[in-house]
Amino acid sequence: MSIGKLSEYNVKVGSWSSYVERLKMYYKVNTVKDDMKLPILIASMGDEAYELLENLSSPTKPADLTFEKVDELMRQHLQPTPSALAERYRYRQRRQNAGENIAVYVAELKRLSKHCKFEANLCENLRDQFVCGLRSDVIRQRLFAEDDTVTFNQAVKLATSLEAAERDSAVVEENRATGSEAGAVHAIASSPARGTAPAARRAGGLAAGAACPVAVGGGTKTPERRFYGGDRRHGNGCGACGAQNHNFPTCRFRDYVCSKCQRTGHLRRVCPEWGAPTSPRGPPRRGAARGGLHFGEADRETSEEVGGDIEEELHHLSLNDYKSV
């Protein structure tokens, strides 16, 4: 039983020299005699390759040639000896491409130097072109700091190590950035609901609707929580904020603490201690808008009372129903 497998030669994209080298290894491992080398080549090379060989050897038949002669005819036709100057030009123009790692870059340099005829200066030319063609300025500067006696293999080893270090550092930075974003999202998700923070600020750091300490005598007394606003009636509006487009159970200000009377259930503007049902300091102010929200002076008071929450909501209000005074 023979070892290995012989495939047909592809005339359009195949390399004849590589095909012959594999064929010679097949002969060696299977101990093929010299008189059998040509028949095996002709039998395995394929129809297209055999037709080309037949045209090149005409008028002599391929079977009358030797293995070495067939190799020479096919090599001269498929792989003619290129110009050394042209090959060196292509070699000097080679640079490391974007997304190409150092291992692939080194392999391409060695392939392009095959027909450059550098002879004894091959390693030196490989080293120089390798360093000059590197894409990373950091790695190139690090190699510039080395002694002139550094060899091509040493330069490749050092550059590969630096490339791996840059790649690992980029992964660490990416994971760190991802962790920071996840922490920020977690902080937002676990933050209090909207309206709670402004109420806590108004109540001196207490949560919305929590009991507020009141000075009594020489100490402080914590009154029990009292809601005021749900049972308030002035017109058909909401008893918590004074709006006309909803009622108290659906009002988002029903848990707010009034900064005037320190009671829970209404805003400062509708506090009963002002003595007016719709205005905290007397008659309704000019510039009042529909829905119980005010602009101008009233808007500044509302912003002070509910913090940045009202200001945020004003940006999302629709002005389709607004009517100028």
Side-chain angles (χ1 to χ4, degrees), residues 213-222:
V214 179
V216 178
T220 59
K221 179 181 178 181
T222 303

Side-chain angles (χ1 to χ4, degrees), residues 52-263:
L52 175 61
L53 175 60
E54 192 176 26
N55 295 333
L56 294 176
S57 63
S58 181
T60 305
K61 294 183 178 180
D64 297 334
L65 302 175
T66 62
F67 177 81
E68 289 75 13
K69 184 61 177 179
V70 170
D71 181 22
E72 181 182 356
L73 288 175
M74 296 291 286
R75 192 182 298 270
Q76 289 179 354
H77 178 76
L78 297 173
Q79 293 179 318
T81 304
S83 170
L85 291 178
E87 291 298 313
R88 290 186 180 186
Y89 174 79
R90 297 189 186 94
Y91 173 79
R92 298 299 182 190
Q93 298 300 315
R94 188 62 167 88
R95 298 289 188 275
Q96 184 181 10
N97 298 323
E100 183 181 55
N101 58 29
I102 290 180
V104 176
Y105 175 51
V106 170
E108 285 297 309
L109 285 181
K110 289 185 176 181
R111 182 184 66 83
L112 292 175
S113 66
K114 185 182 299 183
H115 301 289
C116 291
K117 297 181 180 180
F118 288 131
E119 304 299 338
N121 297 326
L122 175 61
C123 291
E124 183 178 355
N125 282 275
L126 284 173
R127 181 200 62 185
D128 295 347
Q129 186 62 30
F130 170 73
V131 175
C132 294
L134 283 173
R135 187 175 180 83
S136 175
D137 294 333
V138 176
I139 299 178
R140 185 186 300 107
Q141 292 174 4
R142 178 64 180 82
L143 292 175
F144 283 165
E146 293 294 317
D147 197 326
D148 294 340
T149 59
V150 63
T151 64
F152 171 67
N153 293 332
Q154 292 173 347
V156 172
K157 183 178 180 180
L158 179 57
T160 304
S161 301
L162 294 175
E163 181 187 51
E166 286 185 354
R167 182 172 58 250
D168 296 341
S169 178
V171 171
V172 171
E173 291 296 331
E174 182 179 357
N175 293 338
R176 184 180 301 175
T178 304
S180 299
E181 293 177 359
V185 172
H186 177 71
I188 295 175
S190 60
S191 62
R194 291 178 57 187
T196 303
R201 289 195 298 268
R202 296 195 312 274
L206 297 178
C212 302
V214 179
V216 178
T220 59
K221 179 181 178 181
T222 303
E224 71 176 70
R225 179 173 176 176
R226 298 176 59 190
F227 287 88
Y228 190 87
D231 56 350
R232 181 178 178 84
R233 296 290 182 271
H234 45 274
N236 296 324
C238 174
C241 65
Q244 301 296 325
N245 57 354
H246 62 270
N247 52 19
F248 177 80
T250 61
C251 182
R252 62 190 183 91
F253 300 116
R254 60 190 181 90
D255 291 331
Y256 275 66
V257 179
C258 177
S259 60
K260 174 64 177 176
C261 66
Q262 302 299 325
R263 286 183 291 186

